[in-house]
Amino acid sequence: MSDEMQGIADSVRTLEAGADRIVTAVDGIQKISNTTEDSPRSISAATEEQSASTEEIAAASQTLAQMAEDLQKATNQFKL
């Protein structure tokens, strides 16, 4: 039982780390948006960075969704 609880705790910590990565990526997107100049090169570079950040967020979201599903399955074993 202790190993299962440790597994759940580890999953929660991993979910928190994933959420932190998402927040960091969103902050990065916001900073890029706030500092983008009007020149075409700056806009193009910012768009590429935003696309990369968006892809990172999508991947992190998928990972978090899978982890949440796994955590739900693990916690369902402990219903009273």
Side-chain angles (χ1 to χ4, degrees), residues 6-79:
Q6 182 62 41
I8 290 171
D10 290 344
S11 294
V12 169
R13 281 191 290 276
T14 303
L15 285 170
E16 288 173 348
D20 289 342
R21 286 194 305 269
I22 290 173
V23 168
T24 299
V26 169
D27 286 344
I29 290 171
Q30 184 176 7
K31 287 177 185 176
I32 291 168
S33 296
N34 291 338
T35 60
T36 300
E37 298 175 9
D38 288 332
S39 74
R41 287 184 207 174
S42 294
I43 292 172
S44 177
T47 300
E48 288 177 21
E49 289 181 35
Q50 286 178 340
S51 293
S53 293
T54 300
E55 289 175 15
E56 184 178 325
I57 291 169
S61 293
Q62 288 175 343
T63 300
L64 285 173
Q66 182 60 50
M67 292 172 77
E69 183 179 320
D70 293 344
L71 183 58
Q72 183 64 42
K73 288 177 184 176
T75 56
N76 283 341
Q77 297 175 9
F78 298 101
K79 289 198 176 192

